[in-house]
Amino acid sequence: RWRGRNGALRSDLGPIHPIVKLAYIGGDVPVVERQEDGSGFVCYQSGRKAVCIISKNRSRRIGAIFYAERDFVPPSAISRDGGFEDDDQNATRRPGQNRTKHLGAFDEWGCGSVQAVPPSRGAALWNSYFQVSKTNVTVQRPDGRKIVVPRNDYAALAQNAGELQLRLNGEMTVAFDAESGTTVVHFASEGLQYSFHV
């Protein structure tokens, strides 16, 4: 049985995660850096952060914040000039306004949502996302199909397992694991792969 400096592992704390340190070829840029409490980072080959993994309240429950490698314009009801479609169209736009790298986030209870990066600048109506709430798992597919499955319907979750996943970009895919009731994040880049549960 594992023991720490102050005696046995407390029963109110979560599991100890293995320390992980993977790097791209050359060793200068880390792919994954993860601590024993579960917190850490997953990085793109450019060195930019892909996922920030957060351990909450010493319980070792895991939350995550997801980022794209490059800026993109997310779908919005607000026009590109910063106003609504029926507002004055003469407003000026600052460079970079309405652009983001933020794809979404999950809290320590596994609830949250992430969106996929639009395939090109011309994809104005792109709205592909993966969402987990207390009651449902929802996936809006790139082709417009929307799948909603109740989290307490284990048979439907298992039956729709292939549909309850979404590729966020070239490196990252999220999927709902019916067996554990958590979201699994798969990251693959330059021949290196890493998966973790949120």
Side-chain angles (χ1 to χ4, degrees):
R1 181 173 167 105
W2 187 87
R3 292 182 59 82
R5 281 187 298 188
N6 299 324
L9 183 64
R10 289 176 34 190
S11 62
D12 61 334
L13 294 180
I16 300 278
H17 296 271
I19 294 176
V20 178
K21 185 167 176 113
L22 299 173
Y24 287 102
I25 295 172
D28 295 336
V29 178
V31 179
V32 178
E33 294 182 319
R34 196 154 184 200
Q35 303 300 316
E36 65 183 16
D37 67 351
S39 62
F41 293 98
V42 179
C43 298
Y44 293 108
Q45 189 175 13
S46 64
R48 293 184 176 118
K49 303 295 185 244
V51 183
C52 175
I53 309 164
I54 306 157
S55 179
K56 300 287 187 156
N57 300 329
R58 298 186 61 195
S59 66
R60 297 195 179 91
R61 286 185 142 307
I62 302 299
I65 303 170
F66 298 82
Y67 298 97
E69 187 168 18
R70 292 181 175 74
D71 288 346
F72 66 97
V73 178
S76 175
I78 299 173
S79 69
R80 299 206 190 275
D81 65 3
F84 288 96
E85 296 298 339
D86 57 354
D87 285 351
D88 182 18
Q89 297 297 318
N90 296 324
T92 58
R93 194 177 129 191
R94 295 186 314 262
Q97 183 179 356
N98 300 335
R99 300 185 65 76
T100 186
K101 289 182 184 173
H102 186 250
L103 295 175
F106 282 88
D107 66 13
E108 69 271 23
W109 299 106
C111 296
S113 66
V114 290
Q115 64 182 350
V117 176
S120 67
R121 293 185 190 269
L125 298 178
W126 182 264
N127 193 13
S128 187
Y129 64 90
F130 177 94
Q131 181 178 35
V132 179
S133 68
K134 291 179 183 179
T135 56
N136 295 314
V137 178
T138 306
V139 179
Q140 172 82 34
R141 310 295 300 176
D143 61 9
R145 290 183 301 132
K146 187 174 186 178
I147 300 133
V148 180
V149 180
R151 284 184 75 174
N152 61 0
D153 188 346
Y154 302 110
L157 287 171
Q159 181 181 3
N160 292 299
E163 295 292 319
L164 296 178
Q165 59 185 345
L166 182 66
R167 178 170 284 286
L168 301 181
N169 57 22
E171 294 87 2
M172 232 178 330
T173 302
V174 291
F176 192 78
D177 180 19
E179 189 174 316
S180 65
T182 60
T183 298
V184 182
V185 180
H186 302 286
F187 185 86
S189 180
E190 296 297 311
L192 297 167
Q193 298 179 6
Y194 187 73
S195 297
F196 60 93
H197 291 259
V198 177

